[in-house]
Amino acid sequence: MNHRPPAPRMTVIGTGYLGATQAVCMAHLGFEVLAVDVDPAKIDALASGRLPFYEPGLDTLLGDTLATGRLRFTTDFDEAVAFGEVHFVCVGTPQSAGSDAADLRYVDAAFTELARRVACDALIVGKSTVPVGTAQRLTALVAEVAGPGVEVAWNPEFLREGFAVADTLHPDRLVFGVQSARAEGMLRAAYAPLLDEGVPVIVADLATAELVKVAANSFLATKISFINAMAEVCEATGADVSLLASALSYDDRIGGRFLKPGLGFGGGCLPKDIRAFRARAEELGVSAAVSFLHEVDQINLRRRSRTVDLVRELAGPDLRGVRVAALGAAFKPDSDDVRDAPALDVARLLYLEGASVVVYDPKANANAHRAYPDLDYAASLAEAVNEADVVLLLTEWAEFVSADPDDMGVLVAHRRIVDGRSALDVARYRAAGWEYRALGRPAGVGVARS
Ligand code: UGA
C-alpha cells in the first residue's frame, strides 16, 4: 500500500515573481498556502487579486485560487510561520552594490526570522538562487537559533518570466537538495501532484542543488554569447549569423534554443548570476574554472554599443538631434521587467550621444520611466515612430514583429530600421523601401536570399 504523508500546509516568504508564482501555483495544485512579504502594498494588491507585475496567465490563476480560499496573503511573519510545515523562501538575491557578488541580506533575514519562530518539525526550503555553500551556512544558522529538528533543504527554481505558470506547473525537472530522508519525504509530499504526473526529480546534496541552478543559467548565458561572438566574426567577414545559427541548429547536439543572435541577455537573473558565480568561484580558489564567464558577460555587453554603431551607419556619425524610435524596453517580450534590460541600455546610450529618443513598450513603459525618467515615452507604436529618423527593434514583442512596414513607413521621417533581435521579415522591409540593419548580418542581407 502506498502511504503518502498528509498534504503539508505551506508558507511562501517573499512575493516577487518567484514567490507569487510559487504561492499561486501551489494553491492551484490543492495546497493551503499563506504567503508573507514585508511590503504591505504588494500584499494588499495580491490579496485583492491584483498582480504587482505583468506575467501572462498568473493574474487569472491568482483570482481563481483566491476564490478557493486556499491562498491567503499577510505581512504578519508570526502568523505565517505558525501556519506552515513547509516554508519556501523566495526572496531576491540581487547583485551587491559595488561588487559582482550576490547580496544575501534578504535570504539571511528570512532564514533568521524563520529560525526564531519555527516549529521543531518544520522544513525550510530555499528556492532563491544563491552562491554554492549558502545552504550549508544557513543550516548552521538555523541549528543555532532554532535548535535541532528544523531542517533546511534547497529546491532551486527554473521558471522563466513570461512562462512562469507553465514552467512551475510543468517543470522539466525538480531538484531537491536535502540532508535527510525525512526532508526528501516532505518535499515529495509538497510536490506530489507534479511527481504523480511523471516530472523527473533529482535528489542531491545541498551544494549540488545550489550549483544546478547557477550552472544552468551560466550555460544558457554562454550559449547566447557564443552565437553573439559568432555575430562579431560575421560582421568582420560579411557572413550572416542568422543563417549560421539556423544551420547549426539542425545538429541535435547543439539545438536551436537560446541560439538567437541579437542584443543578448538581460533581466534579473542571467547577468547577475554569472557575475555572482565568478565572485563565488574566486572565494573558493577556483576562479580559473569559470573565468570564461567574464568573456560571456563582455560579449553580451558589446552588442549594445554595436547597436549604436548600426544607428550611426544609417543616420551618420553625429547623433545629436537624430530622432530615434526605441521599440521595446523590457529585457524580453511578455514581461514588464526592465532590470538590466539591453533595450533600455541602448536607448540610454543613444540619449547620451545626443539623440532624441522616444521609447515605447507595450507593458514596461512605467518601469522604464522609473529607471530612466530623462527619456521620452510614447503611448503607442504609431506615436513612437512618428517622424523618426531611425527605428530600432529592441525587444521582440509580437506587436512589433507583426507591424506592417508600409503602414509604419508612412509615419516615419526616414525608412531606416535597426533590427536588434533579428526578428523582422527583412524581405518585406526592403520591399517597402526600408534601409535595414541587423547585428551580425551584412547590410545587403535579405535582398537575394530571404
Ligand atoms: C532565466 C532562465 O531561462 C530560467 O530558467 C531561470 O529560472 C531564470 O533565468 C531565473 O534564474 O530565475 P529569464 O531571466 O526569465 O529566465 O529569461 P530568459 O528567457 O532566460 O531570457 C534571458 C535573456 O536572454 C533575455 O534578455 C532574452 O532576450 C535573451 N535571449 C534568450 C537571447 O538573447 N537569445 C536567445 O536565444 C534566448
Side-chain angles (χ1 to χ4, degrees), residues 176-195:
F176 297 165
V178 291
Q179 306 181 77
S180 74
R182 178 180 157 268
E184 180 188 338
M186 287 178 83
L187 276 172
R188 284 187 182 276
Y191 284 106
L194 302 187
L195 299 179

Side-chain angles (χ1 to χ4, degrees), residues 99-179:
S99 97
D100 282 351
D103 180 348
L104 296 176
R105 85 178 82 166
Y106 307 110
V107 170
D108 287 359
F111 272 78
T112 306
E113 293 302 310
L114 272 163
R116 282 197 189 125
R117 299 166 166 89
V118 81
C120 68
D121 52 356
L123 182 66
I124 306 181
V125 185
K127 285 193 78 66
S128 311
T129 302
V130 290
V132 57
T134 304
Q136 199 60 55
R137 179 174 64 75
L138 293 170
T139 299
L141 180 149
V142 168
E144 201 178 300
V145 180
V150 179
E151 282 198 61
V152 171
W154 220 264
N155 164 224
E157 179 55 57
F158 303 100
L159 69 79
R160 296 159 298 165
E161 290 181 21
F163 301 90
V165 173
D167 285 352
T168 306
L169 294 178
H170 309 286
D172 296 333
R173 78 297 208 189
L174 290 163
V175 175
F176 297 165
V178 291
Q179 306 181 77

Side-chain angles (χ1 to χ4, degrees), residues 17-18 55 127 129 156-164 167 172-173 213-214 216-217 220-221 223-225 227-228 256-273 300 304 330-333 335 337 339-343 394-396 420-421:
Y17 278 100
L18 172 56
E55 179 61 42
K127 285 193 78 66
T129 302
E157 179 55 57
F158 303 100
L159 69 79
R160 296 159 298 165
E161 290 181 21
F163 301 90
D167 285 352
D172 296 333
R173 78 297 208 189
K213 176 59 189 272
V214 281
N217 276 4
L220 294 170
K223 203 170 173 193
I224 298 167
S225 277
I227 200 62
N228 284 334
R257 296 182 73 191
F258 275 72
L259 204 63
K260 225 164 50 189
L263 251 180
F265 59 84
C269 302
L270 263 44
K272 64 109 177 150
D273 286 352
N300 190 54
R304 303 177 188 188
F331 82 106
K332 66 175 188 181
S335 168
D337 194 343
R339 286 176 294 170
D340 211 334
L394 300 174
T395 311
E396 67 277 33
R421 294 290 179 180

Side-chain angles (χ1 to χ4, degrees), residues 403-423:
D404 187 303
D406 278 312
D407 292 350
M408 214 156 74
V410 176
L411 301 170
V412 297
H414 298 279
R415 295 189 178 204
R416 301 166 178 154
I417 191 155
V418 175
D419 182 358
R421 294 290 179 180
S422 269

Side-chain angles (χ1 to χ4, degrees), residues 39 157 244 363:
D39 182 346
E157 179 55 57
L244 174 69
K363 295 287 177 194

